[in-house]
Amino acid sequence: MATFATEALAASGRGAEKLSLPALQSKMKCDPEGYLTELGLLYSQFNSALELFRQQAAMNFTSISGVAADPTVSKDLGDRAMFLAHVTPFYPKQLADFHKQLADFLKSSAPSLPSGLRCHVTKALILLLNRKIVDIKETLALFVELQTLGDRVLRKLAFSHVIHSIRRMNKKHKNEAVNRALQNIVFSMLQQEDEAKAKRSLTILCELHRRKVWFDDRTANAICTACFHPSSRIMIAAISFLLDYEKIQGDEDSNDSGGDDDMAHETSQVVINKEAIYKAHHKGTSSSKKKKKAKLQRAFRNMKRQQRMSSEKISSNYYSPVNHLKDAQGFVEKLFSRLQTCNECFEVKMMMLKVIARTVGLHRLILLNFYPFLQKYIQPHQRDVTNLLAAAVQACHDMVLPDAVKPLLKQILNQFIHDRSRPEAIAIGLNVIREICLRIPSLMTEDRLRDLVLYKKSHEKAVSVAARSLMILFRELHPSLLVKKDQGRPADPKARPKAFGEVSVLSNVLGVELLEQNDDNEDNDGEDGDDCDRSMFSRSDDDHDKESESDVEESDAVDEDEEEDGENGIHVSDAEEDEVEEEKAVSIGASEAKNSKSRKRNFSDIDINAAETSLRVLKRLAEEKMKHTSSDSADGILSNEDFQRIKELKAKKDAQLALSRQGLLRKGPDAKLADSKIPSSDELSAKRVDRAKLEVHVRKKLSKEERLALVRAGREDRGKYQARAAVKQKKTGGLSNRQKEHKKAMPLAAKKAKVAKSRQVKNKKQLRSGKQFRGKKGWK
């Protein structure tokens, strides 16, 4: 450390001993007023050295020559700067201009200073900023410029200081005024033509946005605007950040989880098995069992946490800076025009194309020239064709005119799906068509769909699975396009996709129909009980009951002997007519008696004159009217209990849907398939299309090294090949079980039976080996 000269200390009235800067620093902090002389001496020496370095920078000296060539001079200036930065809070009047001197010195002379001195002066300025002596607004532009000098250590130091200081400032509460002032500084530097400054400012914005410090619309729009920077490097950096935002978020979550969670996750896969669970409950002492159970509980908790995190990632709560574009249509058109005219490499064009497709799908924009542009590149031999196809799928949504996407669909059909195409190309083409038709179902025609579904008989697994997935999709979207045998058991056989521009407008609370259906089911359960009681008076002839339900006129033509009931004295025909009228009243939507068993209608459609013969029908009609009046008096206002009931019924419906997809609801006699849940257009737009989803079940061709690795992996459990004779010779143990069987003493009866059997076999062989003809000769 630098030391004071004895003359300086003697002049200040101190002893002749030499004091180091750290020792003097501690003494000055304890007694600031007693060391004013030493402070003035050190400050004057610092100013003289500072002036000397400024003159050198003004004369355009490099760091190799001049004063900076002496390492002791540079080190002495750096130590004095750090010393004065430490004691500045104790001498606010004497060192009021110290921070301005440091900032001006770095602005004017930083490029010509040696690396060590630059870092020392920068650290001194950072120390003053951390003690809130200097405002960050005054030095933010300086720290961005320091990152452009090419000094790796200084760049890392300045960048980390800017990020941590802004993050610390917004930790407790966000000061919008200060944040807006700092953002204006960074935004102005981002718009400059200087590539180095623009790149460092973009890096700062991206890092703060990733850490959710500046997580607002202004920052997102500034990052997206960087895609139009004249420098291609800035444009590539901004586009890559927009594309890799989800991956960056996943890396951040994995880094923040910590080592303990990773250890717990690793042990959970090893610990959780049947043997470990058995040992934890049945083996060992009580204390060891307790430890094993605790370990299992930790593993279970960690697994649940991992599942919860994965489900949160899979959920539709997707975010990207593209979400907050103020002028999404203008952004897409401008970037697409640059894509058409730029001379960048193929990878950069692919990145621009992905961003355009992502924005078009997310905001449901209309960019009709984009689909013919994609059509030129969609060929099986095209490099990175699956990324192109994923972008094509992402750009399709229900607001696009189907005629604009039809040429693209035909191009995929002609290039990928034909008899001479490779199986992996056919599978990818079928998967792409399925995803496009999921977003625009009206593109598919009946003949085209039936031809594509025939690929389900292919021997290639990837092709058959892709064709079946397309068939299953149209079972739910539009079953009438399929052949009768391919329709299966659709939830709604008359389902059809919405036409272009058709919108379903909600006229009631979402899910209130579940509440009404539940009430109807409860009423039907009570009515079924009444019908069971009334069935005691009906006839026991099942065939005639069926005829009476299908046609009322046939019931009038029944013989009189069958119509009268001697015990009750009631005409059976009247009872049957009552039953028919009751079934008419319960059913909804039918107008004729012939269709009363298959279709239903409301009480409002009942002919009152026809129902006068049945008192039960009139009674139930009055009850239904009372129910409607009671519901009308409530003015359609739902209570908290109703909303809770809707929530429960919705969960029950989702559970039934999951069970029906597994085939668990088809066993019961009255079980019905739940309505299939196709994702809405908003969910499809927010969901990112992955190229791996289009390549599912496609077997990639292995290289020779990979094939050899698989062969060697299958031989690991085998021993070295040896002949049986060599194995027998090397055997050092006892006899084998087969050898022991040969030497075992047999009972006498078994020996005799064995000898007799062997004699019979021997005689049969001799007979077969002799002459074939053993009879008398006919010519004697």
Side-chain angles (χ1 to χ4, degrees), residues 63 74 77-78 105-106 109-126 143 146 149-155 157:
S63 59
S74 300
L77 180 60
F105 179 59
L106 287 174
S109 308
S112 62
L113 294 177
S115 176
L117 180 58
R118 273 199 306 255
C119 289
H120 272 80
V121 177
T122 306
K123 287 179 181 178
L125 188 58
I126 290 174
F143 278 101
L146 290 176
L149 296 178
D151 190 348
R152 184 177 179 182
V153 178
L154 182 65
R155 181 173 67 246
L157 177 65

Side-chain angles (χ1 to χ4, degrees), residues 40-54 76-82 84 95 97-98 101-102 105 117 121:
L41 179 62
L42 283 170
Y43 195 30
S44 62
Q45 291 177 357
F46 172 77
N47 289 330
S48 60
L50 206 64
E51 188 64 26
L52 189 61
F53 275 94
R54 282 176 181 167
D76 189 49
L77 180 60
D79 291 340
R80 282 186 172 83
M82 287 297 296
L84 293 174
L95 301 177
D97 297 332
F98 177 65
Q101 290 178 333
L102 290 179
F105 179 59
L117 180 58
V121 177

Side-chain angles (χ1 to χ4, degrees), residues 295-554:
K295 199 172 183 180
L296 282 175
Q297 291 296 328
R298 286 196 299 270
F300 279 124
R301 284 197 300 269
N302 187 65
M303 286 182 63
K304 289 180 180 179
R305 191 180 69 85
Q306 294 289 338
Q307 291 174 359
R308 185 173 64 252
M309 290 175 62
S310 63
S311 64
E312 288 176 358
K313 290 179 182 179
I314 296 172
S315 63
S316 59
N317 294 328
Y318 170 81
Y319 175 80
S320 173
V322 183
N323 289 45
H324 295 282
L325 280 171
K326 294 180 180 178
D327 184 13
Q329 185 71 35
F331 172 80
V332 167
E333 291 176 355
K334 192 174 180 181
L335 190 60
F336 183 60
S337 63
R338 182 166 184 174
L339 172 63
Q340 290 176 313
T341 57
C342 71
N343 296 323
E344 302 291 340
C345 60
F346 178 77
E347 288 78 7
V348 177
K349 289 184 177 180
M350 182 65 63
M351 293 168 64
M352 298 171 69
L353 191 142
K354 286 181 184 178
V355 172
I356 293 170
R358 188 79 189 97
T359 311
V360 168
L362 191 62
H363 293 275
R364 291 202 260 178
L365 306 175
I366 305 298
L367 192 66
L368 299 180
N369 295 332
F370 184 64
Y371 305 101
F373 182 82
L374 286 174
Q375 188 177 344
K376 298 185 297 182
Y377 296 97
I378 292 181
Q379 296 175 358
H381 58 81
Q382 174 66 42
R383 184 176 58 169
D384 236 356
V385 67
T386 49
N387 276 331
L388 277 165
L389 293 171
V393 172
Q394 191 69 62
C396 295
H397 52 87
D398 56 350
M399 300 300 292
V400 180
L401 191 66
D403 294 337
V405 191
K406 275 183 182 179
L408 181 65
L409 188 72
K410 289 182 180 179
Q411 176 77 5
I412 297 171
L413 286 169
N414 297 332
Q415 295 291 332
F416 285 84
I417 306 173
H418 53 83
D419 295 337
R420 296 196 176 189
S421 182
R422 292 179 298 170
E424 53 268 23
I426 297 174
I428 291 173
L430 287 171
N431 289 329
V432 172
I433 289 174
R434 182 197 68 227
E435 293 296 327
I436 292 177
C437 291
L438 180 61
R439 289 158 173 80
I440 312 176
S442 57
L443 287 173
M444 186 60 66
T445 60
E446 184 176 357
D447 296 336
R448 186 180 296 164
L449 178 61
R450 292 182 179 181
D451 292 342
L452 295 177
V453 169
L454 289 178
Y455 280 98
K456 69 179 181 179
K457 299 179 182 179
S458 174
H459 296 291
E460 293 288 337
K461 181 181 178 181
V463 177
S464 62
V465 169
R468 288 182 182 276
S469 65
L470 183 65
M471 179 183 68
I472 292 170
L473 173 65
F474 275 91
R475 280 181 182 177
E476 301 174 353
L477 287 177
H478 202 174
S480 60
L481 294 182
L482 294 167
V483 186
K484 184 67 176 177
K485 65 178 182 179
D486 293 335
Q487 290 182 7
R489 298 176 62 186
D492 187 6
K494 296 182 179 180
R496 66 168 186 84
K498 294 180 181 178
F500 176 69
E502 182 180 354
V503 180
S504 58
V505 180
L506 293 175
S507 60
N508 207 338
V509 178
L510 189 63
V512 73
E513 66 276 0
L514 298 175
L515 199 61
E516 295 174 355
Q517 291 175 5
N518 184 57
D519 295 339
D520 293 340
N521 292 335
E522 291 178 357
D523 295 339
N524 291 333
D525 292 341
E527 292 169 1
D528 292 340
D530 297 337
D531 293 338
C532 293
D533 296 335
R534 288 193 296 269
S535 65
M536 295 172 63
F537 300 98
S538 62
R539 294 188 316 145
S540 61
D541 190 354
D542 296 335
D543 296 336
H544 189 70
D545 288 339
K546 294 179 181 178
E547 292 175 359
S548 64
E549 290 174 358
S550 62
D551 191 0
V552 179
E553 295 179 357
E554 292 182 2

Side-chain angles (χ1 to χ4, degrees), residues 83-100:
F83 174 81
L84 293 174
H86 276 286
V87 300
T88 298
F90 302 94
Y91 299 97
K93 294 181 180 180
Q94 290 81 2
L95 301 177
D97 297 332
F98 177 65
H99 64 277
K100 293 181 181 179

